[in-house]
Structures are given as C-alpha cells and as structure tokens.
Amino acid sequence: MERTNLNLSQTVWWIERDSVCIVYYDAGAGKFINHTDTSKKVSLLYIQRPDKFLIPDETPERDGFLAGDTYLETVLTNASPPLVTNATYRNQKTEIPEQFHETLVARVIANGYERKVETIPLAQYYMQKYEAGVKKGKAYAFRGRDGSTITRVQVDF
C-alpha cells in the first residue's frame, strides 16, 4: 500500500513475515500510530497449513524456533539456526490424522498411473478414491471431536 493513497484517518493492517500488523494511520500527521486501546477484540480467521517434514540438517521454514524447541514432535538441535538431526528426523509426526494417510497414497498412485495411456482407467479409479477421502476429510474438519457438527443457517435479508 502506498502512503500517497491514504488520505483518510483509518485503521490499516498488513501481513509480513508470518505476522499481522494492525495500526492507525493519522492523515493529519501523515504517520502510522500504534493502537493504544486494548479493549477492542481482534479476531483473525485463517487457514492453517501443515508444517512440512524436514530432512536431516534442515531448519523449519517458519521463524521463531529456538534450540530445543519441538517441531512435529521432534526436538531441534542447539545449532543456530536449529536443525533436525539424522537421529531424530524419522520421529516426525504428521499433522494430518492417520485415517487420511491412505487418501494421500491414492493421490500419489493416481499421479503415477496418469503417466501412461494404458493405465488411465486405473488413474481414474485412484483419483475417485482420493476425492472421496478429501470429502471425508472436509467433513471431519468441520466436525467437533465430540460428534457435533458446525451448521450454517441461511437467512434472507
């Protein structure tokens, strides 16, 4: 956002380096001011992406990890930046629930069968299995772990 476009005093926000900055732009002074009013509640809605598996001597993509922190249930080394070692990288646990691992395998198999013309029907079969698993995964994501579901009520205005 260019400063020349700001001609109104307003609250502005932007995302940078996995952080959200919320400030007030004062058009009269021509500068950004930190909010001092902490009585207002701010709700952030976002999609959380799973952390990727690390190979040995690789550091996490996201900032903020220190030596000794856990990443996917694996303890990082005391190096700077913290790394995953040869001894611990096989202990990483995925954030995707175990019942959906087969769905991921179906997608990989479908991609493999798509490479040859003779095996396209097999690719379609495994792609159907993948899409059914994705549908179940989306239903699982919107279900409370106690069995309740999130329902949306449509309202006409």
Side-chain angles (χ1 to χ4, degrees):
M1 172 183 340
E2 293 183 24
R3 295 178 92 175
T4 56
N5 293 341
L6 293 173
N7 54 8
L8 297 172
S9 295
Q10 59 187 338
T11 300
V12 294
W13 62 274
W14 62 88
I15 299 172
E16 186 176 334
R17 293 184 300 231
D18 292 334
S19 300
V20 177
C21 184
I22 303 172
V23 295
Y24 182 77
Y25 180 73
D26 187 3
K31 62 181 181 177
F32 295 99
I33 303 168
N34 285 335
H35 277 284
T36 55
D37 182 14
T38 58
S39 64
K40 292 182 181 178
K41 182 179 177 184
V42 177
S43 298
L44 299 176
L45 304 175
Y46 62 95
I47 298 173
Q48 180 182 357
R49 304 282 183 218
D51 290 322
K52 69 175 194 130
F53 281 142
L54 300 178
I55 58 174
D57 300 327
E58 187 177 20
T59 185
E61 287 180 341
R62 290 189 290 121
D63 295 336
F65 286 100
L66 303 173
D69 284 350
T70 54
Y71 178 86
L72 296 179
E73 298 185 22
T74 302
V75 178
L76 300 173
T77 64
N78 291 330
S80 179
L83 307 169
V84 172
T85 63
N86 278 330
T88 61
Y89 87 99
R90 290 182 187 247
N91 298 334
Q92 297 178 76
K93 303 274 190 238
T94 180
E95 295 176 356
I96 298 171
E98 192 172 330
Q99 64 260 36
F100 303 113
H101 291 188
E102 221 173 276
T103 301
L104 296 174
V105 172
R107 177 61 189 228
V108 171
I109 293 171
N111 287 350
Y113 279 137
E114 284 178 344
R115 295 175 187 231
K116 291 185 179 177
V117 176
E118 302 85 32
T119 58
I120 295 268
L122 287 172
Q124 292 172 341
Y125 168 75
Y126 282 102
M127 190 59 77
Q128 287 175 349
K129 284 183 74 169
Y130 168 74
E131 289 172 358
V134 168
K135 188 175 181 179
K136 287 179 185 175
K138 287 181 179 179
Y140 177 83
F142 289 113
R143 179 171 296 279
R145 301 304 170 252
D146 60 353
S148 62
T149 58
I150 298 171
T151 58
R152 295 183 183 156
V153 179
Q154 296 181 354
V155 178
D156 286 337
F157 291 105

